[in-house]
Amino acid sequence: ESLLPRPTHRRVMTVANQKGGVGKTTSTVNLAAALAIHGLKTLVIDLDPQGNASTALSVEHRSGTPSVYEVLLGEISIAEAAQVSPTSPNLFCVPATIDLAGAEIELVSMVARESRLKEALSSEALDQLQPDYVFIDCPPSLGLLTVNAMVAAQEVLIPIQCEYYALEGLSQLIRNIELVQQHLNPDLSISTILLTMYDGRTKLADQVTSEVRGHFGDVALKTVIPRSVKVSEAPGFGQTVLTYDPGSRGSMSYLDAAKEIAIRGAQKEGA
Ligand code: ADP
Ligand code: MG
């Protein structure tokens, strides 16, 4: 049985930030792995043609593999595309192949182009899998793939790198989230900000941290992810940092962050 509260209703979280290299994929796979280790069934949807989440979770994603691309086309269901990750029996991944690279343009002329992922995630389609959590790893853009992720979710998780220009571009992201709220998905909210790649040796990291907390208050998790070589090495071994080096600071911090996310969710449900 899980040590973390199991959500009564499935939580669908979109991990978005149009800036590349801020820790979207790393946070997606490690948070998902942390929840899975605690016995919560977790599904990662890789929505980036780069397929980095698929690589990190060690699932097949060569061109032609049933993937999120065919799901968006309506050819197959999420359950048909999902693979169990060798990193944990509770962790599933709908991979992204390079075929997804054209989807951003192909989607433009499709019916219900903004809600194709939402349709695919509808309850019947997920009856077999029954995940407690779904994480959607977005590409570094605000195009139709990211819009699909925002329409399919209730929550947005924004990773922010503790670096120069950390907050640059955030207003554009927030504006896009507001547009999706107004026109396509009134249930959407920014539920979680996660500070990543924190380097305690620099003053800058603390400045960014307090600036973000000033802006977002309690939406920012208390847990901050440190910059750690182990975190960046793990995907090269087809592992998450939780199995690659369970005792490392990176691993512990992702476990803490996942715990915060789970407990907050339970508190909101109870409220
Ligand atoms: P995004 O998905 O936003 O583009 P990634 O998760 O791929 O960002 O991270 C960008 C790079 O930074 C990757 O090489 C990743 O391994 C590295 N990285 C992410 N988080 C950490 C961390 N906490 N410590 C060290 N390296 C990290
Ligand atoms: Mg990524």
Side-chain angles (χ1 to χ4, degrees), residues 16-58:
N17 189 332
Q18 77 275 26
K19 226 188 254 190
V22 299
K24 287 183 291 297
T25 300
T26 305
S27 298
T28 298
V29 300
N30 288 301
L31 289 172
L35 293 164
I37 280 174
H38 281 96
L40 298 169
K41 208 166 184 189
T42 305
L43 172 67
V44 168
I45 297 180
D46 189 350
L47 208 54
D48 185 344
Q50 298 291 322
N52 294 334
S54 309
T55 303
L57 295 175
S58 217

Side-chain angles (χ1 to χ4, degrees), residues 27-242:
S27 298
T28 298
V29 300
N30 288 301
L31 289 172
L35 293 164
I37 280 174
H38 281 96
L40 298 169
K41 208 166 184 189
T42 305
L43 172 67
V44 168
I45 297 180
D46 189 350
L47 208 54
D48 185 344
Q50 298 291 322
N52 294 334
S54 309
T55 303
L57 295 175
S58 217
V59 296
E60 183 63 64
H61 62 108
R62 271 177 293 188
S63 177
T65 306
S67 71
V68 74
Y69 176 65
E70 288 80 11
V71 170
L72 289 170
L73 292 184
E75 291 176 356
I76 59 173
S77 70
I78 294 259
E80 284 168 321
Q83 298 175 44
V84 63
S85 168
T87 63
S88 163
N90 289 318
L91 185 46
F92 294 78
C93 178
V94 173
T97 65
I98 195 65
D99 303 319
L100 189 62
E104 198 86 68
I105 289 160
E106 290 171 58
L107 277 168
V108 173
S109 59
M110 287 186 202
V111 284
R113 60 188 183 183
E114 297 97 352
S115 54
R116 300 191 72 95
L117 188 59
K118 181 194 170 81
E119 284 306 311
L121 274 171
S122 73
S123 48
E124 317 93 79
L126 279 185
D127 270 355
Q128 292 161 268
L129 272 168
Q130 296 284 10
D132 298 301
Y133 282 86
V134 177
F135 287 91
I136 307 170
D137 186 27
C138 289
S141 71
L142 293 170
L144 269 173
L145 287 172
T146 296
V147 170
N148 262 271
M150 288 178 181
V151 171
Q154 307 108 22
E155 304 182 43
V156 184
L157 185 159
I158 306 176
I160 297 179
Q161 185 182 353
C162 297
E163 253 300 337
Y164 279 112
Y165 313 122
L167 300 177
E168 201 173 76
L170 269 189
S171 55
Q172 199 191 353
L173 174 62
I174 290 167
R175 169 103 187 104
N176 274 261
I177 294 167
E178 284 168 356
L179 283 171
V180 171
Q181 282 167 336
Q182 283 160 23
H183 299 286
L184 297 162
N185 181 9
D187 297 335
L188 189 69
S189 72
I190 301 172
S191 70
T192 316
I193 304 276
L194 178 59
L195 287 154
T196 64
M197 294 181 244
Y198 176 87
D199 184 347
R201 294 167 305 181
T202 70
K203 259 206 178 116
L204 176 71
D206 282 324
Q207 281 167 15
V208 172
T209 305
S210 50
E211 203 171 339
V212 167
R213 292 200 191 290
H215 251 265
F216 293 100
D218 286 344
V219 172
L221 294 182
K222 292 195 178 69
T223 306
V224 168
I225 308 300
R227 183 177 284 285
S228 139
V229 175
K230 301 289 182 187
V231 170
S232 56
E233 280 175 355
F237 294 87
Q239 291 189 55
T240 66
V241 74
L242 286 101

Side-chain angles (χ1 to χ4, degrees), residues 198 225-228 230-231 245-254:
Y198 176 87
I225 308 300
R227 183 177 284 285
S228 139
K230 301 289 182 187
V231 170
D245 192 346
S248 65
R249 286 185 319 136
S251 169
M252 301 302 268
S253 63
Y254 272 115

